[in-house]
Amino acid sequence: MALRYERDGSVVTLTLDRPERRNALDEALIASLHDRFAELTFDRSARVVVLQGAGPAFCSGADLDWMRRAAAFSPEENQADATRLCEMLVAFDQLPQATICLAHGAAMAGALGLVCAADIALAAEGTRFGLSEVRLGLVPAIVAPFVLRALGPRQARRWFLTAERFDAAAARELGIVHEVVPPDRLHARAGELTGELLQGAPGAIAEAKRVIGLVAANPQGG
């Protein structure tokens, strides 16, 4: 399975499990993620969702074989592919549970959408980030709503256009991740934060997330 599911009480851990491909996103992994997020949307017994990657990297972005196949797709097929990726990211973003994303090794292109869609994002020291789409003749349009929410438009102009890679310290300064920790502390820190989240009243976290979304969309409340 490209996606591993584990549960410990009210804590669900989803692990991207294609280490030989650096957990690159393809249609099958995107579908698996979307299906799990859809299930969790209605699972009131789950309170925290942790998303991580197996092997040397969290996620290297889009799978090159998938991109080669997509080159032969019709416009309608490419649109459907893009829609499925977008729906998966939206489903993660809108989960009622508190979500924690653990980035290590690399978090590139589409993976940055997952990092920015999480409620809490942690990065191991040494993690590399980047939006490489323009160098491939593409535009990071699908991840843009999530990444811009973290970066803001001004910073996005630089990083979207140059496609430069940047390190975990820069990702923290930019607002992409909340904390940078030593690699051997990544899971321990996630466990500490999970403990803090579980002290919240059931249902209150989901409502807090809803309120944040409403106020962000309409700051004046009119």
Side-chain angles (χ1 to χ4, degrees):
M1 292 290 291
L3 181 67
R4 192 164 73 244
Y5 173 96
E6 298 168 284
R7 182 156 187 161
D8 181 7
S10 59
V11 180
V12 171
T13 300
L14 299 177
T15 304
L16 309 182
D17 199 12
R18 304 181 72 212
E20 73 287 353
R21 306 289 292 186
R22 295 175 65 81
N23 299 318
L25 297 169
D26 64 2
E27 61 268 61
L29 182 52
I30 289 167
S32 294
L33 283 165
H34 185 270
D35 288 348
R36 283 298 185 185
F37 297 152
E39 292 169 6
L40 286 165
T41 297
F42 300 100
D43 186 351
R44 293 298 181 260
S45 65
R47 298 186 56 199
V48 179
V49 178
V50 179
L51 181 65
Q52 62 183 8
F58 168 61
C59 178
S60 59
D63 186 283
L64 292 178
D65 288 341
W66 178 41
M67 293 181 70
R68 292 187 189 99
R69 291 195 299 274
F73 287 175
S74 68
E76 293 77 16
E77 288 171 323
N78 271 307
Q79 179 62 47
D81 246 7
T83 298
R84 284 188 286 268
L85 176 57
C86 181
E87 289 174 345
M88 181 272 285
L89 291 170
V90 169
F92 183 49
D93 180 62
Q94 295 183 355
L95 281 177
Q97 296 88 0
T99 59
I100 303 175
C101 186
L102 308 183
H104 76 285
M108 299 292 175
L112 219 55
L114 287 167
V115 174
C116 292
D119 298 323
I120 301 172
L122 306 180
E125 294 171 352
T127 305
R128 304 292 292 173
F129 298 83
L131 293 154
S132 55
E133 284 87 345
V134 295
R135 296 189 183 183
L136 302 173
L138 305 171
V139 177
I142 295 172
V143 302
F146 311 99
V147 179
L148 257 73
R149 187 173 61 192
L151 288 179
R154 181 61 174 162
Q155 291 288 357
R157 287 193 177 208
R158 171 181 175 171
W159 300 105
F160 277 41
L161 301 185
T162 66
E164 294 171 89
R165 294 188 177 187
F166 51 95
D167 63 15
R172 187 179 185 281
E173 291 177 5
L174 290 166
I176 289 172
V177 301
H178 295 93
E179 297 182 24
V180 178
V181 298
D184 61 359
R185 280 278 300 154
L186 187 61
H187 290 92
R189 184 60 183 139
E192 292 167 357
L193 288 167
T194 296
E196 296 288 343
L197 292 165
L198 290 176
Q199 293 186 53
I205 283 178
E207 185 64 12
K209 291 177 67 167
R210 188 186 71 83
V211 169
I212 291 167
L214 288 174
V215 174
N218 188 7
Q220 302 305 316

